[in-house]
């Protein structure tokens, strides 16, 4: 039996939303060519790269990093546990717990935009959106289904990649230097709040663009605009201008989440079947 | 009972193009209505106005007693459009299950209905193959199965045989004919395929440049274009066309030809066809013969 709920005063049929999500996930799963890079790129960015840096620095010393000197200058600004006394390990602690934070936002953002752009524009390009519009599904149900169908895989892959990061880097640190490096509590709000909020914001923009765009490339190019501020954050973070602390992370997550919610309600209320069908 | 009642329906698109003007027509419940016209005449626009995808800029359409923009109507109608496809990555069964869920058909009932339709469409043996591996004709049968899932009261078919080879078109035509009779659904069939429409439909509308130029039953349309009646007399020597107003004149014509010494082989009364009526109203220019 379909489950009906009321969201924003509108009755939604969760049976239909579930059908959309399940169908989209099955399509993503069936498309190996798309699925493999979606897993390899995050693993490369978030496990292989930091793993290599850690292994090199712990075995060859900090001089192996070309910008080690400038990085060392910022160490005092971060709350590195007093228990870690070794300068090399303090440096790695900062890199692994702070410098890499933005990567864990880029990954879900990237996944969410790719999946959702494909989920909407792909339906247009393959002529299936028209068929969907002929069924009793409402605008809100369709948008919600598309949103969750992109959010769920993005969030779970990102979470999975973080778990791998946590295990691999700590095993590596322990094996090479007897130290657990990834252990800042900042990861809790980052992974559970900030990353989902950032991907929701990316999704809101991508959905807005996708319902209007004619091709996948067009949708992706416009959605990429969302990625630029995040890349900016990375640079800012690396140069030590802004230092993440748990409160900032929670506030940022709330602000971005609020913005995402506002944009999503706008996308749904402006969803115009007539316009969509005329551009097909 | 009236299934479709359009009064003064018109559509001017945002770019200023008038796709349809002042269309009035009614289709009775259970009727198979053929909507014929060349490409670009406004057939697709009409379907999209009737199935609620577009809002008319003038006039109104009442479908099954409700205004065409009633969102609930989509539960009672189905549309098979030329460009509306299904998911190529999914199997036939997965596709049908997905659409059954969108129509709120309970699981068990959906399973039964899907098996029944697969059987009817002769698709059972390939139900677990991906749609992408199918020929265009087989895909059309899958699409037809989809439109029938929720037992719609009105089925809009927009060029259902487009892109099919004659053999596949024949199969699909026969299927539509049978299904329309069996289900008792009202069918609104758009096509430029005359022979196909002539076989399947009870009544017809001809559309040209966004205007309905004629409508009526097969008989009514033919009679409306028959100004004069003719017999074709073939003799061993030649062929003669004899026009008459009164049937007794046929006899005179035959006698006259026999008197000239020719030997009669065949005398055929020539009647206008739906095709004649169509070309009378639409004109021949730019039309692709089906």
């Amino acid at each position: 039996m379909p489950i009906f709920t009321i969201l924003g005063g509108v009755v939604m049929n969760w049976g239909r939303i579930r059908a959309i999500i399940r169908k989209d996930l099955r399509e993503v799963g069936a498309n190996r060519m798309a699925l493999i890079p979606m897993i390899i790129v995050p693993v490369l960015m978030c496990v292989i790269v930091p793993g290599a840096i850690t292994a090199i620095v712990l075995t060859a010393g900090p001089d192996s990093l070309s910008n080690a000197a400038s990085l060392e200058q910022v160490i005092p600004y971060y709350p590195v546990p007093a228990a870690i006394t070794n300068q090399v390990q303090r440096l790695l602690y900062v890199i692994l717990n702070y410098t890499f934070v933005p990567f864990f936002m880029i990954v879900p953002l990237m996944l969410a935009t790719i999946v959702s752009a494909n989920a909407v524009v792909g339906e247009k390009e393959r002529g299936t959106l028209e068929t969907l519009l002929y069924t009793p599904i409402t605008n809100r149900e369709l948008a919600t289904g598309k949103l969750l169908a992109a959010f769920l895989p993005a969030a779970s892959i990102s979470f999975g990649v973080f778990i791998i990061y946590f295990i691999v880097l700590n095993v590596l640190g322990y094996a090479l230097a007897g130290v657990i490096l990834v252990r800042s509590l900042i990861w809790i709000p980052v992974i559970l709040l900030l990353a989902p909020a950032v991907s929701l914001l990316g999704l809101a923009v991508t959905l807005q663009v996708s319902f209007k765009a004619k091709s996948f490339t067009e949708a992706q190019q416009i959605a990429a605009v969302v990625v630029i501020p995040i890349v900016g954050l990375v640079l800012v973070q690396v140069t030590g201008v802004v230092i993440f602390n748990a409160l900032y992370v929670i506030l940022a997550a709330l602000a971005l989440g609020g913005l995402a919610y506002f944009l999503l309600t706008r996308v749904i209320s402006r969803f115009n079947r007539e316009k969509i069908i005329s551009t097909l | 009972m009236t299934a479709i009642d359009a009064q003064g329906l018109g559509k001017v698109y945002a770019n200023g193009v008038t796709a349809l003007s002042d269309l009035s027509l009614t289709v009775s419940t259970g009727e198979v209505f053929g909507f014929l016209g060349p490409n670009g005449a406004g057939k697709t626009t009409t379907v999209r106005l009737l199935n609620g995808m577009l809002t008319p800029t003038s006039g109104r359409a009442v479908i099954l007693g409700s205004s065409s923009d009633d969102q609930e109507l989509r539960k009672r109608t189905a549309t098979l459009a030329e460009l509306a496809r299904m998911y190529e990555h999914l199997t036939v069964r997965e596709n049908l299950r997905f659409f059954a869920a969108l129509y709120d058909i309970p699981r068990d009932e959906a399973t039964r209905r899907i098996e029944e339709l697969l059987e009817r469409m002769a698709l059972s043996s390939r139900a677990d193959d991906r749609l992408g591996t199918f020929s265009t004709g087989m895909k059309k049968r899958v699409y037809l199965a989809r439109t029938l899932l929720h037992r719609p009261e009105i089925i809009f078919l927009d060029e259902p045989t487009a892109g099919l080879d004659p053999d596949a078109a024949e199969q699909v035509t026969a299927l539509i004919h049978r299904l329309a009779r069996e289900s008792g659904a009202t069918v609104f069939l758009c096509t430029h395929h005359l022979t196909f429409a002539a076989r399947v439909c009870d009544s017809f509308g001809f559309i040209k440049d966004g205007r309905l130029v004629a409508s009526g039953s097969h008989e009514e349309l033919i009679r409306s274009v028959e100004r004069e009646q003719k017999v074709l007399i073939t003799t061993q020597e030649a062929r003669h066309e004899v026009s008459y107003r009164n049937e007794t004149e046929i006899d005179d014509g035959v006698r006259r030809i026999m008197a000239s010494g020719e030997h009669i082989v065949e005398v055929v009364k020539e009647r206008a066809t739906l095709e004649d009526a169509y070309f009378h109203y639409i004109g021949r220019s730019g039309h692709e013969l089906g």
Side-chain angles (χ1 to χ4, degrees):
Chain A
M1 270 304 284
I3 306 162
F4 297 90
T5 58
I6 294 180
L7 196 97
V10 179
V11 177
M12 290 212 288
N13 179 330
W14 281 92
R16 289 187 201 137
I17 295 171
R18 261 208 313 273
I20 293 275
I21 297 171
R22 207 177 297 140
K23 190 271 297 171
D24 274 11
L25 292 183
R26 196 169 282 168
E27 278 201 303
V28 171
N31 190 352
R32 292 274 146 74
M33 296 290 282
L35 192 62
I36 291 171
M38 278 175 56
I39 292 169
I40 288 182
V41 173
V43 168
L44 193 73
M45 267 171 69
C46 298
V47 180
I48 310 287
V49 171
I53 291 174
T54 306
I56 291 166
V57 172
L58 285 180
T59 49
D63 295 339
S64 53
L65 289 176
S66 60
N67 58 346
S70 62
L71 280 169
E72 274 175 35
Q73 283 177 2
V74 303
I75 295 176
Y77 296 101
Y78 291 94
V80 183
I84 303 175
T85 47
N86 179 309
Q87 191 63 6
V88 173
Q89 290 172 12
R90 291 180 74 84
L91 176 62
L92 270 178
Y93 180 89
V94 171
I95 293 176
L96 295 182
N97 289 291
Y98 296 95
T99 312
F100 268 96
V101 160
F103 285 88
F104 287 87
M105 285 183 277
I106 294 175
V107 165
L109 181 72
M110 182 188 80
L111 294 175
T113 52
I114 292 175
V115 177
S116 64
N118 190 43
V120 177
V121 189
E123 297 245 16
K124 274 190 188 181
E125 286 181 333
R126 292 189 282 271
T128 49
L129 188 59
E130 187 175 345
T131 318
L132 276 186
L133 295 179
Y134 290 141
T135 72
I137 196 164
T138 65
N139 299 344
R140 195 173 286 263
E141 287 160 2
L142 183 57
T144 309
K146 288 291 174 194
L147 176 79
L148 291 175
F151 181 78
L152 295 177
S156 37
I157 293 179
S158 314
F159 192 74
V161 167
F162 175 73
I163 299 294
I164 299 172
Y165 174 78
F166 183 81
I167 294 170
V168 168
L169 270 294
N170 282 335
V171 165
L172 207 59
Y174 196 77
L176 293 176
V179 63
I180 298 291
L181 289 170
V182 182
R183 63 183 215 205
S184 167
L185 291 179
I186 195 133
W187 285 111
I188 296 170
V190 162
I191 296 301
L192 296 181
L193 290 176
L194 191 58
V198 168
S199 43
L200 275 182
L201 184 61
L203 274 170
V205 175
T206 319
L207 282 180
Q208 167 110 39
V209 171
S210 303
F211 279 117
K212 287 189 182 142
K214 280 214 154 89
S215 73
F216 179 62
T217 351
E218 190 186 331
Q220 282 239 285
Q221 278 164 356
I222 303 174
V225 172
V226 197
V227 182
I228 293 168
I230 305 293
V231 176
L233 253 175
V234 179
L235 298 173
V236 163
Q237 174 65 13
V238 170
T239 51
V241 177
V242 173
I243 291 157
F244 283 114
N245 73 40
L247 183 66
Y248 288 168
V249 170
I250 292 168
L251 288 177
L254 288 178
L256 293 176
L259 185 61
Y261 182 78
F262 168 75
L263 287 177
L264 284 169
T265 49
R266 228 176 64 121
V267 170
I268 294 170
S269 67
R270 291 193 170 188
F271 186 99
N272 183 330
R273 274 171 192 260
E274 176 149 354
K275 246 188 209 149
I276 291 169
I277 205 143
S278 310
T279 57
L280 286 175
Chain B
M1 276 286 283
T2 306
I4 300 172
D5 182 15
Q7 293 306 325
L9 214 52
K11 181 70 186 175
V12 181
Y13 284 112
N15 58 12
V17 173
T18 304
L20 194 71
S21 354
D22 198 27
L23 176 110
S24 297
L25 59 82
T26 57
V27 179
S28 313
T29 305
E31 196 177 338
V32 181
F33 182 82
F35 200 49
L36 307 172
N39 292 329
K43 298 191 296 288
T44 299
T45 300
T46 307
V47 166
R48 287 178 174 176
L49 286 169
L50 296 177
N51 71 8
M53 287 297 120
L54 298 178
T55 317
T57 40
S58 58
R60 68 187 299 243
V62 176
I63 309 296
L64 300 168
S66 309
S67 173
S68 60
D69 59 3
D70 183 349
Q71 300 289 310
E72 295 294 305
L73 267 177
R74 292 202 299 272
K75 291 176 185 161
R76 301 167 66 192
T77 65
T79 306
L80 175 64
E82 192 178 350
L83 298 175
R85 297 186 229 283
M86 289 166 71
Y87 301 94
E88 310 253 311
H89 282 310
L90 304 184
T91 69
V92 174
R93 209 175 252 122
E94 285 168 347
N95 262 295
L96 293 175
R97 281 204 166 285
F98 168 66
F99 282 99
L102 295 189
Y103 282 102
D104 297 336
I105 306 173
R107 245 177 176 286
D108 297 345
E109 195 188 321
T111 309
R112 251 177 288 131
R113 181 74 176 144
I114 289 168
E115 294 314 315
E116 178 193 331
L117 286 168
L118 288 173
E119 190 73 36
R120 292 262 288 284
M121 301 289 168
L123 290 166
S124 299
S125 61
R126 297 205 48 194
D128 292 313
D129 291 353
R130 285 189 181 190
L131 190 64
T133 65
F134 281 34
S135 67
T136 319
M138 287 185 85
K139 279 182 197 166
K140 278 279 148 92
R141 301 215 299 268
V142 179
Y143 297 178
L144 261 180
R146 184 206 82 228
T147 58
L148 296 167
L149 272 173
H150 58 299
R151 301 178 197 277
E153 293 162 65
I154 300 181
I155 307 172
F156 295 100
L157 300 171
D158 191 357
E159 300 285 3
T161 55
L164 297 184
D165 61 56
D167 199 36
E170 180 69 36
Q171 278 185 30
V172 169
T173 306
L175 259 175
I176 291 171
H177 188 64
R178 215 178 66 213
L179 295 170
R181 298 290 166 231
E182 285 171 14
S183 67
T186 307
V187 178
F188 189 92
L189 172 68
C190 286
T191 184
H192 59 247
H193 215 115
L194 276 168
T195 38
F196 161 43
R199 272 182 43 200
V200 178
C201 303
D202 304 315
S203 58
F204 305 85
F206 294 158
I207 182 172
K208 185 190 181 185
D209 301 331
R211 289 181 178 278
L212 187 73
V213 287
S215 64
S217 69
H218 199 276
E219 190 59 33
E220 284 165 349
L221 284 167
I222 286 171
R223 225 178 293 140
S224 72
V225 295
E226 269 181 339
R227 290 219 183 74
E228 55 178 16
Q229 295 183 288
K230 272 188 290 191
V231 278
L232 265 181
I233 301 169
T234 313
T235 66
Q236 280 174 2
E237 294 78 12
R239 286 166 70 100
H240 305 270
E241 248 185 55
V242 178
S243 304
Y244 64 92
R245 258 153 296 165
N246 190 316
E247 284 195 347
T248 55
E249 293 171 36
I250 299 174
D251 196 40
D252 298 341
V254 172
R255 275 172 208 283
R256 210 166 46 240
I257 289 164
M258 285 175 78
S260 70
E262 290 183 32
H263 298 84
I264 305 255
V265 177
E266 193 182 36
V267 179
V268 181
K269 216 177 191 180
E270 202 188 54
R271 285 223 64 189
T273 60
L274 186 70
E275 201 169 310
D276 295 325
Y278 178 82
F279 287 122
H280 173 85
Y281 289 108
I282 304 285
R284 285 204 176 254
S285 59
H287 183 75
E288 303 162 34
L289 257 180

